[in-house]
Each structure stands twice: as structure tokens, then as C-alpha cells.
Amino acid sequence: MPNASIISIASHLPERKLSNEELIEKFPDWDVDKIYKKTGIRERAIVESDQTSLDLAYHSSIKLFQSGVIKPNQIDMILLCTQSPDYFLPSSACILQKRLELPTNCGALDFNLGCSGFIYGLALAKGLIESQQAKNILLITAETYTKYLDPEDRSVRTLFGDGAATTLISSSSTENAIGTPVLGTDGSGAENLIVEGGASRFPDHKPTLKMNGSEILNFTLESIPLCISRLLEQENRTLDSFDYVVFHQANSFILTQLQRKLKIPKNKFCINMQEYGNTVGSTIPMALNRAHLDGEIKSGDEILLCGFGVGYSWGATIIKWP
Amino acid sequence: MNEEFIEEFAEVFDVEPAEMNTSFTFDGPESWDSLAIVSTIALVDQYYDVVLKADDFIHCSNFGELIQLAEGKKGS
């Protein structure tokens, strides 16, 4: 049976930046240091009104091809994770197949998940490769949540930024390069992070993101330690046996709570979203790339990944860095 | 009561640690901003190992009631 392995990651951010300095002009009772201290974010990348998640996905994928790691005609599957698609239909992945000039024998699908999306994408890619339905998969996470934000809602405007990441996952002889994931769902939390308007239930309402931050924190503190325990039990491992740990980079406040609660050594725990904010499904691949550039991870390292958020939906797995 | 907990909780409300005693009064649910709520959930989890719901503690009339709530949940 073939194994699935992450080969390379490329990412793309919009050019326009929203700094903490700009935010305090709008919300003068906050200060720059307070925003940074609580969120770990200095600036976010924001799309212009005529840019979409599909555009970001296109650019991150072109960067991957430009790196020379693979040719477009070798790709046989696109898995595109987004909650801000260009259209209700067709799938963004189908349009992307044409824009990237990928072969027509390439499968393509969108899947609708947020901050757990990268882990679910790894799970799908692993299944498709191990069952020999695909050999070279583009797993793309692309979001423009900022289009959904109420300009007056400072709690979400400080957190979210736009961006996309393209991860190449290929059939490989390396053993267990993507481990068996642990996945979870609790739809009882749906209303705590939601965009209600614009779709079938409330077609006449403006799509606006609503977040209950305290409920999201409760969910995270209760569910993620259990998710990690399940993974460690499944793999018969301990947390200190990993070279590095990358959780969804929601904000530094939540990450610090999880690091403390799970007693993960600080030097092995990634907190890095200061230049782009919470880019939803792309935070994990972006953080992995940054950690590699910064020398925090090297080839062969075993890395524990965990994504969690809107749904509620969560997942964790282990990868071996290429 | 853990002194570090008191110091950190005082920081949430932007008062001196000496002012944060069991009779420190909260001014009703509207007085809790979102940052104070999530900070309180995190601190109680850190020092009492219990996860409180915001609705449970924003109605506490003072710091002493909040401590009782946390200790009660820990013991349950």
C-alpha cells in the first residue's frame, strides 16, 4: 500500500495589510500593545473587494509550481477547503483546475470546513493515496473571512486575516508520513461561530460573521486536550516524544492556554501568526513553512498537528516533515 | 487563595492586587467586556482546573462568589 507524504507547501497573502495602529484609530479605547499582547497579531492581510479565495488559491498554487517541485500535468486531485467560495456552484476547485491548466483527468472538489480543514484535508488525501485513487494531490486552504466581518466588531477584526496555502501531498515510500488522524465534531456549537446570511436559510440577510468568543474558548479548553489524549493513546506516544507541535494558530491567547494545560514545552510549541492573523484553514501550513524557514523544524522531524474551530469541528494527526 | 491568581485577576480588572479581595464588587453582567470574560475563563481553568461558562459567573456580585463558584465546580 502506498503512503501519503507532504512534499512541499506554498502560501499567498493579499498585499493590503491591516495593522494594530489602524485598528486603534477605529477603536480608540484599545491600544496597540494590548491588542498584540492578547492576540499575538501585529497585522493581518486583507483582500480587496475584487479579490476572492479562488484568486488566493490560484496564486499559492502557482508559487508551488514555480518552486519546481512538481509540474501541473502531474496533479491528479484538487482538494480545496473554503467557506468563502466564489459561487454557490460550481465548486471553486473545478474553476481552479482550468485556471491552473491541470489535466482534465484530475479530480477536484471543495469541502466546507474552517480551522480544522487542514487536518481533514490530510485525512482525505491520505485515504485517496492509500487507496490508490490519486498520486499527487493539491490540498488548498483558502479563505477571505474578512469579507464577512462587521466593521464595528472589534473582537473579530483584530483576529482574522485572509490567505491561502497549497500543500502538495504525494504517494511516497516513506512509512507513515501522515499518521492516522483523530477527528471530532460537535454541531451543538454551530451558532457560536456562524455566518447565517446569504445562503438558503436566510437568503435576504447580509453574510456577517458572528462569534461568541467565550463559548469558543470553553469548547477549546474542554475538547482539544481530549482530542490530543485520544491521539496519544491511539499512537501509544507521549507529548514530549514529538519534535514540534503546531496547533491551529487562532490567537496567542488561546494557544498559550492550551500549551499550559497540556504541559507542552514552550520551545516545541508554535505560536506564530503575528504577520498574518488567523487565516482559518491556512494557519497550520503557513506556520509549518515559517517554522521550517526559521530552523525550528528539519527534515525527518515528527510534528503533532491539531486544528479546531467552527462547527465545532476538530482533528489531530502526526506528520513527518519532508 | 493563590496569590498569583489574585494578582492576575486584578490585572484583568485593572486594579491593584490589594483591592482584589472577596468583597471586590462586580457591576453586573454588562460590566464584563469580552476580554475580561475570556481572561476569567482562562485564569479559573489555570488555577482551579475547571472550565466555567460565562453565563455562570457574569452574574456573580463579587469576587468571593466567583471563587465559590469555581471551588464548587471543582468539588462536584
Side-chain angles (χ1 to χ4, degrees), chain A residues 274-286:
Chain A
Q274 65 172 348
E275 289 162 25
Y276 24 81
N278 180 344
T279 52
V280 196
S282 296
T283 67
I284 295 175
M286 283 182 183

Side-chain angles (χ1 to χ4, degrees), chain A residues 30 34 37-38 154-155 213-215 217-219 221-222 253 257 260-261, chain B residues 11 33-35 37-39 41-43 45-46 49 51-54 73:
Chain A
W30 278 15
K34 186 175 177 181
K37 192 178 166 196
K38 286 294 176 188
R154 65 182 184 179
S155 63
S214 68
E215 288 291 340
L217 179 62
N218 284 152
F219 147 68
L221 292 175
E222 287 174 334
F253 179 79
Q257 302 311 318
R260 170 192 54 74
K261 201 169 168 68
Chain B
E11 203 176 311
D33 70 16
S34 58
L35 212 47
I37 289 173
V38 294
S39 299
I41 292 169
L43 282 174
D45 180 51
Q46 181 175 348
D49 200 23
V51 179
L52 291 185
K53 291 267 189 190
K73 185 154 184 198

Side-chain angles (χ1 to χ4, degrees), chain A residues 135-152:
Chain A
K135 287 192 172 115
N136 293 302
I137 298 176
L138 294 185
L139 167 59
I140 303 164
T141 45
E143 292 294 357
T144 56
Y145 264 33
T146 66
K147 289 176 185 267
Y148 297 143
L149 303 185
D150 176 353
E152 303 300 321

Side-chain angles (χ1 to χ4, degrees), chain A residues 2 67 80 86 100 102 154 185 208 210 215 256 276 288 306:
Chain A
S67 74
L80 198 164
D86 281 35
L100 291 171
L102 303 186
R154 65 182 184 179
T185 308
T208 304
K210 291 193 295 185
E215 288 291 340
T256 303
Y276 24 81
L288 284 169
C306 180

Side-chain angles (χ1 to χ4, degrees), chain A residues 233-248:
Chain A
E233 200 174 314
Q234 171 185 292
E235 301 295 325
N236 197 21
R237 300 273 298 258
T238 56
L239 261 174
D240 55 11
S241 69
F242 295 98
D243 297 298
Y244 205 56
V245 177
V246 181
F247 284 6
H248 162 54

